[in-house]
Amino acid sequence: MSTSVKPYHHGDLRAALLAAAIEGLEAGEPFSLRAVARRAGVSPTAPYRHFADREALDSAVAIEGFRDLRVDLEAALAGSTEPAAPAAPEEVITALGVAYVAFALRRPAVFRLMFGNECDQEDSDRVHASEQLHQMLNQSIASLFPGANNPNLSIALWSVAHGLAFLHLDGKLRPQTSDDVAARVKSAVGALFALNNNTSGG
């Protein structure tokens, strides 16, 4: 993958470094402050103005990933819950699941970094970004299934999407087009709802 980050001249150095870090990470380049500086076209010491060390850069990339994933999920939620034509819970969960897996496949290295290790509780920004994502999902589940055991239900549904994402990333499910992946997510969610309906009916 060729370098696509333009050499930095002026403006937001931190944003330029983050963009370079994400592109380099997804390109499989060594993840270091020096490599990021080289890709961004700045001096080797420039990143230290914003990141004390590699761990700080790692955290910043994860925070960016959590925020971007939340934006994608919020967009999916908004698109599936229009007031004029409210969607069924299954359709909303499917839309969220498709957006989640699509993000993982579009930015696999960032996704692995986000979830590859536990958040350092001393890193308040990373913890907050992770919590905001989970709060958004929990609130969505609560509105779709009032009266249900929302914490456990949220974990169960998140596990389905997260599991499908990693099954694709790890090569356990063969690579497919985005439409095929979306259909697989829809089928998985549909199977869960069908199982619940059959159990309730029985």
Side-chain angles (χ1 to χ4, degrees):
M1 178 177 177
S2 61
T3 300
S4 59
V5 175
K6 296 180 179 180
Y8 173 82
H9 295 295
H10 58 81
D12 191 341
L13 174 60
R14 189 178 189 278
L17 291 168
L18 271 178
I22 290 170
E23 288 195 5
L25 190 65
E26 295 296 354
E29 296 177 359
F31 191 66
S32 67
L33 291 172
R34 182 175 292 274
V36 168
R38 183 168 55 250
R39 176 174 274 269
V42 299
S43 71
T45 60
Y48 290 96
R49 301 176 196 174
H50 296 282
F51 308 108
D53 50 29
R54 183 188 180 284
E55 286 69 29
L57 178 62
D58 178 291
S59 180
V61 171
I63 290 169
E64 193 79 0
F66 282 123
R67 290 173 177 168
D68 290 347
L69 176 55
R70 192 179 78 247
V71 168
D72 284 2
L73 294 177
E74 287 173 344
L77 187 63
S80 62
T81 56
E82 297 179 2
E90 180 179 340
E91 295 174 351
V92 177
I93 297 301
T94 296
L96 289 171
V98 169
Y100 191 95
V101 176
F103 177 91
L105 297 183
R106 187 174 68 253
R107 296 171 65 178
V110 171
F111 189 79
R112 289 185 185 278
L113 185 150
M114 290 161 58
F115 295 104
N117 48 48
E118 295 183 9
C119 289
D120 181 355
Q121 295 304 311
E122 299 300 319
D123 187 347
S124 59
D125 289 339
R126 184 168 183 170
V127 171
H128 181 63
S130 176
E131 287 179 345
Q132 280 189 315
L133 174 64
H134 290 291
Q135 286 173 4
M136 187 275 289
L137 291 172
N138 290 340
Q139 289 169 0
S140 300
I141 298 301
S143 65
L144 290 171
F145 305 99
N149 188 328
N150 291 318
N152 288 337
L153 183 57
S154 293
I155 291 175
L157 294 174
W158 175 38
S159 297
V160 173
H162 199 69
L164 284 171
F166 270 104
L167 284 171
H168 280 96
L169 292 180
D170 292 338
K172 305 305 181 185
L173 296 175
R174 68 182 185 277
Q176 295 176 312
T177 67
S178 57
D179 287 343
D180 290 333
V181 172
R184 173 171 281 150
V185 174
K186 182 177 181 179
S187 296
V189 173
L192 290 177
F193 275 81
L195 178 63
N196 178 68
N197 292 335
N198 290 337
T199 303
S200 300

